Amino acid sequence: MKKLIMLCLTIVATQTISAQMQNQPNTINVVGEGKMSVVPDQAIITIGAETKDKDSAKAKKTNDDIIAKVISVLKKSGVNEKDYKTQQVSLYKTRDYNSKQDYFVASQSIQINLKDLSKYESLMLSMIDAGANNINGVEFKSSKVADYETEIRKKAVDNAKKKAGDFAVALNQKVGKAVMISDNSQTVYPRMYAMKAQMMSDSAESMQQTLAIGEIEITASVSISFELL
């Protein structure tokens, strides 16, 4: 009796799975891509100062004075106060194992959202003249990147439709509605990496004509499943 019941349940399950498979639409899975390169019009600058002294208070005081001068430069340059902020502050003790002497290292960094790239060269020169000796990075951006991303996504979907259509024609079928979509998009920003104090000359003139912003590459990649009719 138990074997008979198990046999009946197996038959029912098999029929159910078969019916579900028959009801599932035939689909085609394709990846659509879109790409655009745009010139940045903004920059995120992270710059600061690092000072050393055997006395912790002197190290901190010297560092504070430099940062105060950097902030004064930002104000005189017309950078809005809401577009810069303190990002990092530290004070720690370390040892020079060659001289076997202990000393303190004070550092601070400021992140600046520069919305006018025409000010980049003069601003960087002025901040270095003020005592900044640590550039942690410069990342270039576009104020219109959201609009560009919307346009590129549409291009990626159109590309996916075309691919699906090409396959459908080869199969003597037609493309139906989309039943699934996933977004794999990303935006790559050009970035200048850290420049330490020892890499800068005593004169800020070494920073002239350094702006090479490149382009932002905006890409969209979508995976779409279409019904095949």
Side-chain angles (χ1 to χ4, degrees), residues 46 164 168 176 207:
T46 305
M207 290 294 295

Side-chain angles (χ1 to χ4, degrees), residues 68-114:
K69 291 178 181 178
V70 170
I71 291 176
S72 177
V73 167
L74 291 171
K75 290 180 178 179
K76 290 178 181 178
S77 298
V79 178
N80 196 303
E81 287 189 10
K82 68 179 182 180
D83 290 329
Y84 60 87
K85 63 182 179 180
T86 298
Q87 187 181 56
Q88 174 269 339
V89 178
S90 70
L91 176 66
Y92 61 91
K93 186 177 182 180
T94 188
R95 166 165 283 232
D96 185 334
Y97 288 96
N98 292 323
S99 64
K100 300 190 183 303
Q101 292 184 336
D102 293 334
Y103 60 92
F104 291 88
V105 178
S107 67
Q108 296 185 63
S109 63
I110 297 174
Q111 187 178 80
I112 306 158
N113 183 8
L114 183 62

Side-chain angles (χ1 to χ4, degrees), residues 172-208:
N172 293 320
Q173 292 182 275
K174 294 182 180 180
V175 177
K177 65 180 182 180
V179 295
M180 186 184 73
I181 183 169
S182 61
D183 183 14
N184 310 307
S185 304
Q186 65 176 352
T187 301
V188 179
Y189 296 102
R191 181 176 176 82
M192 294 169 53
Y193 291 97
M195 180 182 290
K196 298 299 182 183
Q198 59 267 28
M199 296 178 63
M200 299 179 186
S201 70
D202 294 334
S203 172
E205 292 178 359
S206 63
M207 290 294 295
Q208 291 179 352

